Amino acid sequence: MGKTTFQPLGGNEMPRFGGPSTMMRLPTQENTRDLDACFVGIPFDIGTSNRPGARYAPRRIRDESSLLRPYNMATNAAPFDSLNVADIGDVAINTFNLEKSMAIIESAYDEILQYSCTPLTLGGDHTVSLPILRAIKKKHGPITLIHVDAHADVNDHMFGEKIAHGTPIRRAIEESLIDPLRSVQIGLRGTGYSPEDFEWARGKGVRVIQAEACWYKSLAPLMDELRKTIGAGPVYLSYDIDSLDPAFAPGTGTPEIGGLTVIQGLEIIRGCKGLNIVGGDLVEVSPPYDISGNTALTAANLLYEMLCILPGV
Ligand code: MN
Ligand code: MN
């Protein structure tokens, strides 16, 4: 106590359909100097191979986040009581140039990370995780990656291009941005280009937990085990919304049937409590395919849950 922290604008101060269109209707900040954590958007989808639209996700997620209240009734987390959190807006990517956008995003995260602020990113397609991890490495060294996704995202190239939304995890391992021996992929499934699609990361030492190994069960025991093996080092959580079954999250570029439930998604994120989380992202929401808004609503909630498991909450 004694520290004054920013608070989301409450539903009894301003109707939830009004007020600022920031994440959870938090105040905005120009930089992260006074912040412990920030929400930041990357309206980027030029790395998408098929159904585009993730460029609209930050705005749509913020819109749905107006429904969120500050206290987590399941975990008792009270993130805004202990952390100073604001919405720092969007990264001004160059939507005509993917390579330039990579550099723009990396330098934006260099700026965010110059203070002790943990970024929680509203993607964007999954390409955005690569420049974020490049910036994170400069501050924290190679980190443990918890990657939740229907896809391995370890393609060597897509249509000949090394940087696309299906390649970031391969680049991250090649560039030693992450420590594969402590990293994990959860929720992988569907059809592949070859039977070995999920083996590349395994060959590098990544623990790959396919969706079928998650069916019919709570993932809380898995997370208990992962916390023990990961230990105290820095961890980045990259959450692709398509890890969830399309019944729950249809508004995404590359849906795959037989996916995780929303409850399992919550178990994964809540199970990260106690880890030294240094950043997280929620990627691949595609509002044009999200007719009900449920995908963006789920994304908003999962981002809030990430805030709730940060060190210091
Ligand atoms: Mn992905
Ligand atoms: Mn995916």
Side-chain angles (χ1 to χ4, degrees):
M1 295 303 286
K3 183 176 161 190
T4 308
T5 52
F6 292 135
Q7 299 296 318
L9 183 58
N12 294 315
E13 298 165 72
M14 169 65 78
R16 295 206 172 272
F17 41 84
S21 52
T22 55
M23 186 69 180
M24 293 187 73
R25 308 195 304 172
L26 282 159
T28 55
Q29 289 284 281
E30 302 259 306
N31 61 52
T32 59
R33 190 182 56 219
D34 300 322
L35 301 178
D36 302 303
C38 68
F39 290 107
V40 51
I42 309 181
F44 173 103
D45 65 6
I46 58 175
T48 303
S49 52
N50 188 16
R51 312 197 303 181
R55 68 180 61 184
Y56 303 111
R59 186 164 284 189
R60 195 77 182 91
I61 293 168
R62 287 185 175 105
D63 190 11
E64 294 295 335
S65 78
S66 67
L67 288 158
L68 297 174
R69 292 167 287 267
Y71 293 100
N72 191 320
M73 303 309 289
T75 67
N76 290 327
F80 304 105
D81 287 4
S82 54
L83 301 185
N84 209 30
V85 187
D87 186 330
I88 63 163
D90 291 331
V91 178
I93 59 114
N94 179 341
T95 202
F96 303 105
N97 191 312
L98 186 145
E99 285 289 344
K100 280 184 183 165
S101 293
M102 293 296 99
I104 291 167
I105 295 167
E106 184 177 341
S107 99
Y109 281 74
D110 287 341
E111 266 187 54
I112 289 169
L113 294 167
Q114 68 180 303
Y115 305 106
S116 56
C117 174
T118 302
L120 296 175
T121 300
L122 292 61
D125 74 46
H126 219 153
T127 320
V128 304
S129 298
L130 180 64
I132 297 172
L133 289 170
R134 284 173 174 163
I136 294 254
K137 186 196 176 175
K138 283 176 259 177
K139 177 159 184 176
H140 297 287
I143 46 84
T144 293
L145 178 69
I146 297 178
H147 172 213
V148 191
D149 203 322
H151 311 98
D153 291 352
V154 294
N155 293 293
D156 185 29
H157 65 87
M158 298 185 86
F159 228 80
E161 300 297 327
K162 288 283 195 182
I163 310 284
H165 77 153
T167 68
I169 307 306
R170 189 170 187 127
R171 296 290 95 81
I173 292 174
E174 289 171 348
E175 296 178 22
S176 298
L177 309 181
I178 68 173
D179 173 5
L181 300 177
R182 286 176 182 271
S183 295
V184 60
Q185 298 185 296
I186 306 171
L188 277 55
R189 62 187 188 274
T191 50
Y193 287 108
S194 85
E196 289 82 36
D197 276 5
F198 297 158
E199 296 307 315
W200 187 86
R202 281 193 178 113
K204 299 290 177 186
V206 176
R207 181 160 174 199
V208 177
I209 300 162
Q210 291 179 224
E212 287 75 8
C214 302
W215 286 359
Y216 316 115
K217 59 171 99 155
S218 165
L219 298 185
L222 168 70
M223 297 310 295
D224 291 344
E225 185 198 326
L226 286 179
R227 279 198 311 280
K228 284 189 195 110
T229 54
I230 291 170
V235 178
Y236 187 85
L237 175 58
S238 188
Y239 200 106
D240 186 328
I241 198 74
D242 71 30
S243 60
L244 300 177
D245 192 88
F248 304 109
T252 191
T254 319
E256 306 285 355
I257 65 165
L260 305 183
T261 65
V262 172
I263 293 167
Q264 289 175 314
L266 290 170
E267 287 175 330
I268 291 170
I269 298 176
R270 289 175 184 173
C272 290
K273 180 68 187 163
L275 292 172
N276 179 19
I277 302 286
V278 297
D281 61 49
L282 192 300
V283 295
E284 296 285 353
V285 172
S286 179
Y289 295 93
D290 188 22
I291 304 308
S292 69
N294 267 357
T295 313
L297 175 68
T298 302
N301 275 276
L302 295 181
L303 281 157
Y304 169 73
E305 294 283 342
M306 287 186 200
L307 181 68
C308 289
I309 52 100
L310 295 185
V313 173

